[in-house]
Amino acid sequence: MLTLVDQLAAWLGPGGAPFAVATVVGASGSVPRPVGTAMAVRADGAVIGSLSGGCVEAAVHAAALDAIAARECHRETFGWSDDDAFAVGLTCGGSLEVHVQPVRPGDDGDPGAVALAELAAGEDAPAALVRRLDVARPTAVVLELPEPGGDIGPRGSDNSLRGLVDDGALPAVAAQVDAVLRAGGAATVHAAPGVDDGGCTPDDEPVTLLVETRLAPPRFVVVGAGDFAGALIRAVRLLGYRVTLVDAREVFADPRRFPQADEVVVDWPDRYLAAEAEAGRLDARTAVAVLTHDAKFDVPTLRLALGLPLAYVGAMGSRRSHAQRLEALRAEGVTPEALARLRSPIGLDLGAVTPEEVAVSVVAELVAVRHGRAAALPLSRTDGPLHAAPAVPRDDHSKEGSRWT
């Protein structure tokens, strides 16, 4: 729905005809459009947007008209069937799950109409639209997000989500919503079956929401073009980052070596970071990983990065290299408070050796930092909700001869 806000503005005026918005909320296999893609159908048959480029549009059009008539939301799944020649399906072989929600323009009691009007009035200001997918009643809540450079803050969506989710499911859902807000893009989140939702859903049904953000993906800047950089680029892409590789050595910084990087830049890393910061393209969600193992690159880059309000700054190297870097950074005037933000040696202690293993350890540390985990423990050694406040260590394992501190 969020992707169509500008186009739907003309349909939202008083006296406008009812319409329905069909949104991709799940996709598997080879499908043409990602989660969050939307198509709107007005009661008179007019259409805005597309879901699949043609192969399921007619069926979605009919489902939208049904939702307008019933004034209720519903979900439908479209896939390919070799057994039924008349089945509506995707010739690419994948499957799409589509949520269809009716909207009544000018009706102050219609949450979709109210949310769309609010988003349209906000133009391009950072915001998120959150809707329940597991109930028939139309729902929509707009979350205001800080401008780039501001911190969303942990659990920042709790109060706004109370209009969608009862207190029993709120902690689990809010933590996952905040994770999507930090990453940008669109995603569905779930509270596990059995979570108390005040009777809104059966005990065996998960609370399911769609979160759509009007926020660019966070950035990850990798400094140093080597095998470890290639593995890290592949790993952080899974978290939704826009990845830049920068290295001053043109012979190594070859885009053909790093096809999964969004961009490969040949420049001195500190000069590149300074220019990006000056242009406002680095913010409180940005992560920087320095993998060069060369003081002439490492020290100027880390000095600059630690002076910026970034989410994560890490550097690869041995304990000896780390000690030498700290000494050089202190000589450059970096404060103890800034040095305390440096993740070096980079990554969690997983025993990682290969580039791929090291990439996993870095991504694990990055996720822990995202969610405010000062220490990462095996879930089997903790108690409490998995997606709420940081889990607390259990003290009942002394009989196993283990001690977690």
Side-chain angles (χ1 to χ4, degrees):
M1 184 182 284
L2 189 57
T3 60
L4 298 181
V5 167
D6 293 340
Q7 299 174 71
L8 289 174
W11 287 10
L12 290 173
F19 60 90
V21 179
T23 309
V24 175
V25 298
S28 63
S30 177
V31 293
R33 307 298 295 277
V35 170
T37 302
M39 167 180 160
V41 179
R42 201 164 56 188
D44 62 4
V47 176
I48 292 175
S50 171
L51 294 188
S52 66
C55 48
V56 301
E57 257 68 357
V60 172
H61 190 279
L65 294 177
D66 289 343
I68 294 170
R71 298 192 181 187
E72 290 188 342
C73 305
H74 67 279
R75 284 184 284 178
E76 299 203 16
T77 300
F78 301 98
W80 174 254
S81 172
D82 287 325
D83 299 326
D84 185 354
F86 296 97
V88 174
L90 298 170
T91 56
C92 54
S95 66
L96 288 177
E97 184 179 10
V98 177
H99 178 262
V100 187
Q101 175 168 337
V103 179
R104 303 187 68 79
D107 183 351
D108 291 340
D110 185 282
V114 173
L116 285 170
E118 183 178 345
L119 289 165
E123 298 180 343
D124 293 328
L129 178 66
V130 185
R131 293 181 283 156
R132 282 284 291 268
L133 303 181
D134 56 313
V135 295
R137 59 185 172 87
T139 62
V141 167
V142 175
L143 305 180
E144 295 183 3
L145 304 181
E147 293 293 334
D151 186 12
I152 291 171
R155 312 299 299 285
S157 59
D158 278 25
N159 290 332
S160 298
L161 291 175
R162 281 198 165 87
L164 293 180
V165 181
D166 288 339
D167 288 347
L170 185 61
V173 170
Q176 295 178 71
V177 169
D178 284 338
V180 179
L181 301 185
R182 293 176 188 279
T188 55
V189 302
H190 309 270
V195 169
D196 178 16
D197 190 35
C200 290
T201 57
D203 289 343
D204 59 346
E205 291 292 329
V207 176
T208 306
L209 295 90
L210 174 68
V211 184
E212 302 172 83
T213 64
R214 188 159 64 190
L215 190 66
R219 295 192 62 187
F220 196 105
V221 180
V222 180
V223 176
D227 291 342
F228 286 92
L232 184 56
I233 289 168
R234 294 191 295 273
V236 297
R237 284 292 299 270
L238 296 175
L239 297 182
Y241 282 90
R242 178 174 177 267
V243 186
T244 300
L245 174 70
V246 57
D247 198 307
R249 303 164 297 181
E250 185 173 5
V251 66
F252 297 117
D254 186 339
R256 292 172 296 183
R257 295 181 63 206
F258 306 97
Q260 291 184 305
D262 293 287
E263 59 181 345
V264 177
V265 176
V266 179
D267 198 353
W268 282 80
D270 60 313
R271 183 167 60 190
Y272 172 77
L273 281 182
E276 293 297 286
E278 179 68 23
R281 290 191 286 266
L282 305 179
D283 60 31
R285 300 178 302 146
T286 301
V288 174
V290 178
L291 312 180
T292 41
H293 295 285
D294 190 330
K296 68 176 176 289
F297 296 122
D298 292 3
V299 173
T301 302
L302 290 172
R303 179 181 57 78
L304 177 62
L306 291 171
L308 298 172
L310 306 181
Y312 178 93
V313 179
M316 179 178 283
S318 65
R319 301 283 184 190
R320 180 181 178 184
S321 296
H322 172 63
Q324 292 173 338
R325 271 197 299 258
L326 289 182
E327 183 178 351
L329 289 168
R330 290 190 190 99
E332 291 283 334
V334 179
T335 66
E337 292 77 15
L339 288 176
R341 296 177 48 231
L342 176 59
R343 302 279 173 165
S344 173
I346 197 169
L348 296 186
D349 183 7
L350 306 181
V353 176
T354 68
E356 290 74 20
E357 290 176 342
V358 170
V360 170
S361 78
V362 174
V363 168
E365 182 176 49
L366 182 61
V367 172
V369 170
R370 261 191 186 185
H371 296 284
R373 262 52 173 180
L377 298 171
L379 290 173
S380 62
R381 304 296 187 181
T382 63
D383 286 321
L386 300 183
H387 299 294
V392 295
R394 289 209 307 257
D395 59 3
D396 60 349
H397 293 279
S398 58
K399 61 181 180 295
E400 300 176 13
S402 298
R403 185 161 65 106
W404 295 83
T405 57

